[in-house]
Amino acid sequence: MKFGERIKSFFSSRNAVSDELLDDLCDLLIEGDFGAAEAYKTAELLKERCKNENTKELPQKLAGLLEEELKKVNISEQLPDENKITVVLLLGVNGVGKTTTAAKLCSFFNTMYGKKAILAAADTFRAAAIDQLKIHGQKLDTRVIAHKPGGDPAAVVYDALEAAEANGINLVITDTAGRMHTKSALVEELRKIDRVIESKAEGARYLKYLVLDATTGRNAYSQAEIFNEAVSLDGVILTKYDSTAKGGVVFSLASGLRLPVVYVCTGEKYTDIEIFNPEKFTKEFTGIE
Ligand SMILES: Nc1nc2c(ncn2[C@@H]2O[C@H](COP(=O)(O)OP(=O)(O)OP(=O)(O)O)[C@@H](O)[C@H]2O)c(=O)[nH]1
Ligand SMILES: [Mg+2]
């Protein structure tokens, strides 16, 4: 059952607003991957906004509250810029979908904005990762800049920026190695990539996105906390939202870390990516048609 169905049937089985209802709602939100503090805050706000005892309006009111929270984190500055180079750096733990997302973004920008990209294979850790990106590059008719396995990821990014400049391409999408949050190595490597981008593509629209697997629930929030502290993220790309993912973590990312979800991926095809839509997402989460 989709989580929205759960919220919907929760409200339809209750007929009066009470403290008990709000407590139960709090528990349900936590089950839906909310953090305890946000679930409590949401239930409290909902209580304040309930002027009468009628439960009919509750789903809409809850959706309104949640949507407001999401709209506090703005993504208008996150789309590729016409006048300057855009560099997208994809980060995250193993297997969340970084490489697939790099290819999807490449295809998305091309379809939506007619933009050609260069893909940078800065996951030099696994030999297969380089080939995986090259195959995407062939399918998408997109150039992939790669070095040998074990090479310096920052050098790959440097070469990708050079190639972009030389070919008049103003979009570079960078895949990176999956890593658990072993902080020091992560910070060191990313700092080096950062320095390269900042000196080589001065004034670029530089977007650091954490790729999060929606099915990992609250664990996704901990990953965001750690990566954000280490490298100050611009946003999140939520993958695998096509399966049993509940999605409540998206609201915590917004209210707890002020991090917007920028794209949502719902499958393995290149077209299974869209710009995050707070209204649509909230409706799905709360089961409102
Ligand atoms: N259903 C579904 N599968 C996805 C999605 N995104 C990626 N995948 C699958 O998840 C698996 C891992 O994807 P990758 O792109 O290789 O993940 P990665 O983060 O690059 O992995 P590492 O490089 O090993 O860290 C693949 O089988 C993808 O097809 C998605 O949005 N939905
Ligand atoms: Mg990968």
Side-chain angles (χ1 to χ4, degrees), residues 3-12 28-29 62 285-287:
F3 196 73
E5 292 295 319
R6 297 267 313 271
I7 297 208
K8 200 172 154 186
S9 66
F10 171 83
F11 283 124
S12 63
L28 185 61
L29 291 175
L62 174 65
F285 182 78
T286 51

Side-chain angles (χ1 to χ4, degrees), residues 29 32-39 66 69-70 218 221 247-259:
L29 291 175
D33 293 339
F34 263 66
E38 292 108 40
L66 295 177
E69 201 61 45
L70 293 183
R218 289 302 297 170
Y221 186 84
V249 71
V250 167
F251 302 102
S252 309
L253 291 170
S255 71
L257 297 176
R258 293 276 167 255
L259 271 180

Side-chain angles (χ1 to χ4, degrees), residues 143-204:
R143 190 150 166 218
V144 177
I145 303 298
H147 288 184
K148 290 201 180 70
D152 177 2
V156 177
V157 176
Y158 184 93
D159 282 358
L161 293 169
E162 286 248 295
E165 203 179 307
N167 293 283
I169 289 178
N170 64 1
L171 176 62
V172 174
I173 300 170
T174 304
D175 187 25
T176 62
R179 61 199 95 207
M180 298 311 284
H181 355 288
T182 40
K183 265 172 128 188
S184 57
L186 169 86
V187 174
E188 204 31 61
E189 186 176 299
L190 293 179
R191 280 209 185 115
K192 202 166 165 198
I193 294 177
D194 254 350
R195 279 200 298 274
V196 165
I197 296 174
E198 265 151 28
S199 65
K200 186 79 188 134
E202 214 188 329

Side-chain angles (χ1 to χ4, degrees), residues 31-194:
E31 255 187 76
D33 293 339
F34 263 66
E38 292 108 40
Y40 182 74
K41 189 178 101 186
T42 305
E44 281 295 304
L45 277 172
L46 193 62
K47 189 176 175 182
E48 277 170 29
R49 291 193 191 181
C50 293
K51 298 217 170 54
N52 57 39
E53 303 273 296
N54 192 343
T55 53
K56 273 212 193 79
E57 292 167 12
L58 281 184
Q60 288 291 353
K61 285 207 164 136
L62 174 65
L65 265 173
L66 295 177
E67 201 182 315
E68 270 172 39
E69 201 61 45
L70 293 183
K71 286 186 170 164
K72 285 183 192 160
V73 283
N74 195 330
I75 61 165
S76 62
E77 293 292 305
Q78 307 242 353
L79 298 174
D81 195 295
E82 267 318 303
N83 305 311
K84 52 186 167 188
I85 182 164
T86 302
V87 183
V88 177
L89 186 67
L90 298 173
L91 308 165
V93 306
N94 293 289
V96 287
K98 295 175 296 299
T99 308
T100 312
T101 304
K104 283 178 184 166
L105 279 177
C106 177
S107 159
F108 180 82
F109 289 140
N110 195 250
T111 315
M112 297 297 286
Y113 306 101
K115 265 192 179 295
K116 242 2 232 157
I118 281 194
L119 286 166
D123 177 358
T124 57
F125 187 67
R126 276 194 313 125
I130 298 173
D131 294 337
Q132 192 187 351
L133 201 65
K134 280 184 177 165
I135 292 167
H136 284 305
Q138 274 164 12
K139 288 191 190 155
L140 293 164
D141 190 24
T142 297
R143 190 150 166 218
V144 177
I145 303 298
H147 288 184
K148 290 201 180 70
D152 177 2
V156 177
V157 176
Y158 184 93
D159 282 358
L161 293 169
E162 286 248 295
E165 203 179 307
N167 293 283
I169 289 178
N170 64 1
L171 176 62
V172 174
I173 300 170
T174 304
D175 187 25
T176 62
R179 61 199 95 207
M180 298 311 284
H181 355 288
T182 40
K183 265 172 128 188
S184 57
L186 169 86
V187 174
E188 204 31 61
E189 186 176 299
L190 293 179
R191 280 209 185 115
K192 202 166 165 198
I193 294 177
D194 254 350

